[in-house]
Amino acid sequence: MATNKKKIFVTESMSQQGRALLDARDDIELVEFPNMISAKDFEAKLTEHAPVHGVALGGTGFGEPELEASRDMLVVTRIGVGFDAVDVPALSRRKVPLMVAGTANSPSVAEQALFMMLTLAKRAVEMHSIVRDNKWPSRLGMLPYDLYGKTVLIVGFGRIGTRTAKRCQAMEMNVLVFDPYKPAADIKAAGCEPVTDLDATLPRADFVSIHCPKTPETVGMFNAARLKLMKPTAYLINTARGGIVDEPALHDALVSGKLAGAGLDVFEQEPPPAGHSLFALSNVIFAPHVAGVTREAVDRMSEQTARNILSVLDGDPVRQERDQSGRALTPPAMTGSRTRPIDRSARSMRCAHGFQGIR
């Protein structure tokens, strides 16, 4: 039977806070889909329920086939910030806006980056095994390190990079920032030292923490040549995206003693294949791409995603102000800033971001 309700697809990971905002509307019908649904099954489900007017994605891909199956897509949102799996040009051709969750998970990712620095510096894994395996006398042979007084290089100074810098400053570290799209004055105002030459700066850093997006500019950024520039006592942290670090090159640097250790939340292939060469190394710690997926972050992202959807359906979309590099100045669904109502023919949002934006 025909209905005037707008049909919204939501991934099963959307929290109750977000669902409640959508459920409160009598003009919306929710359809849930699994987080790990296959592309074929997702397209079939969209076709079955078409017309579909909005979607809240987790990691599911979305592009031309899904748009065609939906028949009347009005808004695509992500319960997150990165949109690697979304075909932005396909959305742009149909003037379908793509909206992300802005700053909602940036505190969580910044905490994970600092956690990995501390875990590696304090040799948490080794200390745990010394006590558990009754190797107490060996404890003085593997002393941990302080973060105090150390130098950290933050690559990318957007929502997450700035928060990571604050946490490193709280540990009384010296903070260097490499971000070619960020004015030096802004970096200095945050109490950090701006650097313009990544290669010249790497030998100064005790820790390197990556917070830039995965783009053609950044894929393979940390290759064998760059890793060789780092101190043999340095640690590399990647909570951004897989592919920014060349994993075979990282393995070679770690086993040859050219690098002290690494913390990885992301991988070139996710999940990484069984028997990955890095898994055999004791100086690497891992997480399954959950830096920005804490309980609190999921609640914040879900609520923000729901508000993003409603803003488009109500013809009053939340928009982000951006600087000339495309960097977001105002996160969506956080400030309440609005634009004029839009009609179907003019429905579009700028999705490009600068070097700073991630997750």
Side-chain angles (χ1 to χ4, degrees):
M1 187 174 76
T3 175
N4 291 324
K5 289 188 175 183
K6 299 298 184 185
K7 200 168 293 183
I8 307 299
F9 267 41
V10 297
T11 181
E12 62 186 350
S13 61
M14 176 175 266
S15 73
Q16 186 55 43
Q17 283 85 337
R19 292 171 187 267
L21 289 173
L22 298 173
D23 282 334
R25 296 279 294 257
D26 57 12
D27 59 340
I28 289 177
E29 176 186 348
L30 297 185
V31 178
E32 185 179 277
F33 63 92
N35 288 330
M36 301 302 292
I37 192 171
S38 69
K40 180 180 178 180
D41 289 346
F42 189 44
E43 185 178 344
K45 195 172 185 71
L46 287 167
T47 300
E48 176 189 353
H49 291 275
V52 177
H53 306 96
V55 61
L57 301 168
T60 306
F62 201 93
E64 191 62 44
E66 290 77 22
L67 286 166
E68 189 65 30
S70 302
R71 286 186 16 216
D72 191 27
M73 185 58 61
L74 301 176
V75 58
V76 175
T77 63
R78 274 219 66 239
I79 307 175
V81 175
F83 42 86
D84 308 52
V86 179
D87 186 345
V88 176
L91 269 61
S92 298
R93 286 192 295 270
R94 295 174 182 248
K95 297 183 179 180
V96 175
L98 168 63
M99 304 182 77
V100 297
T103 62
N105 68 352
S106 55
S108 309
V109 182
E111 286 185 14
Q112 177 76 3
L114 183 61
F115 162 76
M116 285 185 155
M117 292 183 211
L118 283 165
T119 300
L120 290 164
K122 296 305 178 182
R123 308 187 76 162
V125 176
E126 294 98 324
M127 298 298 113
H128 176 80
S129 65
I130 283 173
V131 177
R132 182 196 58 199
D133 300 336
N134 194 27
K135 296 180 180 179
W136 196 275
S138 66
R139 72 191 190 283
L140 298 182
M142 50 178 68
L143 293 178
Y145 301 92
D146 290 336
L147 296 193
Y148 167 77
K150 297 298 191 301
T151 295
V152 58
L153 170 60
I154 293 177
V155 179
F157 204 58
R159 295 174 289 250
I160 297 168
T162 52
R163 281 189 156 96
T164 303
K166 289 179 181 178
R167 285 153 178 78
C168 290
Q169 288 168 332
M171 304 302 294
E172 300 181 78
M173 302 178 77
N174 304 309
V175 182
L176 313 177
V177 173
F178 174 76
D179 191 326
Y181 296 96
K182 189 76 169 180
D186 291 356
I187 296 172
K188 290 178 181 178
C192 306
E193 178 186 340
V195 298
T196 58
D197 189 329
L198 179 59
D199 291 347
T201 306
L202 285 171
R204 298 175 54 190
D206 300 298
F207 295 85
V208 175
S209 191
I210 302 172
H211 301 289
C212 59
K214 182 180 182 180
T215 68
E217 179 185 7
T218 63
V219 169
M221 173 183 278
F222 282 85
N223 54 21
R226 283 229 165 92
L227 293 172
K228 286 178 182 177
L229 297 174
M230 295 177 65
K231 295 179 181 180
T233 56
Y235 297 94
L236 180 66
I237 310 296
N238 188 10
T239 56
R241 282 293 186 271
I244 297 174
V245 176
D246 182 327
E247 291 175 6
L250 176 62
H251 177 271
D252 291 346
L254 291 165
V255 298
S256 64
K258 302 295 185 183
L259 196 63
L264 303 175
D265 181 59
V266 291
F267 303 87
E268 292 178 6
Q269 176 185 329
E270 295 184 354
H276 193 297
S277 61
L278 288 169
F279 294 169
L281 305 185
S282 61
N283 54 348
V284 188
I285 56 174
F286 306 100
H289 202 155
V290 293
V293 195
T294 63
R295 294 188 179 190
E296 295 85 356
V298 170
D299 286 344
R300 292 191 297 265
M301 290 188 293
S302 296
E303 182 175 346
Q304 191 168 328
T305 297
R307 294 188 186 281
N308 286 344
I309 291 171
L310 293 175
S311 75
V312 173
L313 297 185
D314 293 340
D316 194 15
V318 177
R319 293 180 183 244
Q320 288 181 290
E321 297 177 16
R322 297 180 181 272
D323 65 16
Q324 60 185 359
S325 74
R327 178 173 53 93
L329 299 176
T330 307
M334 294 293 283
T335 64
S337 60
R338 303 279 182 172
T339 63
R340 298 175 186 174
I342 54 176
D343 60 30
R344 175 88 180 179
S345 63
R347 207 178 56 234
S348 65
M349 292 192 69
R350 185 176 179 185
C351 300
H353 54 69
F355 186 73
Q356 303 95 318
I358 188 65
R359 289 204 196 251

